[in-house]
Amino acid sequence: MARVGCTAGDTAGAVIARAERALSALPGGLRRELAERAQLLIIDDAHHLDDGEQARLWEELVPGPTALGRAILAGRERPAVGRGAGVAELGVGALDPAAAAALWRALGGDPAAAETVHARSGGSPWGVRRAFASARMGGDAWDPSTLPADAAAVALALAVTGAPHGAVVLAALAQIDDASPALAELSARHLVDVDDDGRACLAAPAVSLVLAATGPVDRAAVGRRAAALLAGDAAADPRWALARAELAALDPIDRLRAAVRLSLACGDEDRARALVIATAPRMLRRGARGELEALVAGSPTACTRRSSACASSWRATPAASPRPPSWWRRRPSWSSRGWPPR
């Protein structure tokens, strides 16, 4: 079984390339992989794709009558799929009073307060956990202004990257010696959970709280450090070497994609463009053409703007150079003068 997530700005080609890597299939071999092997492919968060991209994606996923594999397209909205699709709608609501009371008791809360907690939280599981942390610690446990400095820095690193990370990576991003005490503080406030790989992830409702309480300069600084770390840039700080070793287990294409998007979010368009140019051959060799196309399409000012800065980044192509692929030629300002990339 393999699970592939969709993110804002993704295209069908990007998701297909990601699925092929997750299933260890050859580039362009997703349909054959699902037809010939008993695989279960789950594509989550499909609501990030527009209707046209969903339809194109589903055409690649529809199994034949004798196919051994199956694909599930999951999202918060009804998918725009056609033939061969069985659509099931699940209503996800809040906890009823009994379930909320059971969660409250499991956390260690006073049973007499369970009814009040359910009413105030609206039955949200995160609301119940927030109420428990606040009752135990006093005040609003999720108020970012009440966090110790190290815990606030770690929470900001998790919020900016939007991905789970281990203590070593978080220490490098937050520029602290040891992230374990900060993670213990955040865990005590029910602000973080730990995934199956032991990495911490910030509670979804808390992400907006942390980002709103932080200025754009501080957010950009963390984003630049994260982008540099994911891109494998060198740094004198020994924490970076340890963090790079921990990130080595992640898919290199996922790391590059995250580095480009973080650079764009920080306003570092030139750096994002340089990353795309430098890593294009590697992404193509790994069968990530669809994801490379999505990065180019999602960063028009960074990668396709007509300016002297962009023009100077291309080197003249010798007569014997290979013909650029069609996706490169379709970008007006990514002319054949820039192929092959550096």
Side-chain angles (χ1 to χ4, degrees), residues 150-244:
D150 286 358
V154 169
L156 180 59
L158 289 170
V160 169
T161 59
H165 291 296
V168 174
V169 174
L170 290 172
L173 294 179
Q175 293 188 316
I176 58 178
D177 293 329
D178 184 8
S180 297
L183 287 172
E185 175 69 21
L186 295 174
S187 180
R189 294 172 179 252
H190 288 262
L191 278 168
V192 297
D193 276 332
V194 179
D195 65 10
D196 294 339
D197 296 321
R199 299 173 301 177
C201 49
L202 193 63
V207 172
S208 58
L209 296 177
V210 173
L211 293 178
T214 310
V217 174
D218 292 335
R219 292 199 302 267
V222 174
R224 290 189 183 97
R225 285 197 295 270
L229 183 59
L230 288 164
D233 287 357
D237 194 327
R239 290 174 298 199
W240 282 63
L242 295 173
R244 281 197 297 270

Side-chain angles (χ1 to χ4, degrees), residues 260-316:
V260 170
R261 289 184 171 169
L262 281 168
S263 297
L264 289 172
C266 298
D268 291 345
E269 297 182 349
D270 289 338
R271 175 171 175 75
R273 173 177 54 82
L275 279 173
V276 171
I277 295 170
T279 59
R282 194 187 323 170
M283 296 181 77
L284 291 173
R285 285 195 299 269
R286 291 182 60 88
R289 169 178 166 174
E291 293 187 85
L292 182 57
E293 288 178 334
L295 288 177
V296 174
S299 53
T301 57
C303 300
T304 65
R305 63 184 180 185
R306 298 179 183 271
S307 68
S308 57
C310 254
S312 64
S313 68
W314 308 123
R315 58 187 170 90

Side-chain angles (χ1 to χ4, degrees), residues 110-140:
D110 180 6
E115 185 175 348
T116 302
V117 168
H118 177 266
R120 290 180 177 177
S121 66
S124 165
W126 281 117
V128 174
R129 295 177 65 176
R130 180 177 183 175
F132 171 76
S134 297
R136 187 175 64 173
M137 305 190 72
D140 187 357

Side-chain angles (χ1 to χ4, degrees), residues 8 21 46 69 96 129 198 264 278 280 330:
R21 294 202 318 278
D96 60 28
R129 295 177 65 176
L264 289 172
R330 285 199 300 269

Side-chain angles (χ1 to χ4, degrees), residues 1-2 22-24 33-34 37-41 68-71:
M1 184 187 78
L23 295 175
S24 300
E33 183 75 11
L34 291 175
R37 296 184 60 188
Q39 298 272 23
L40 175 61
L41 173 64
L68 300 178
R70 292 293 182 268

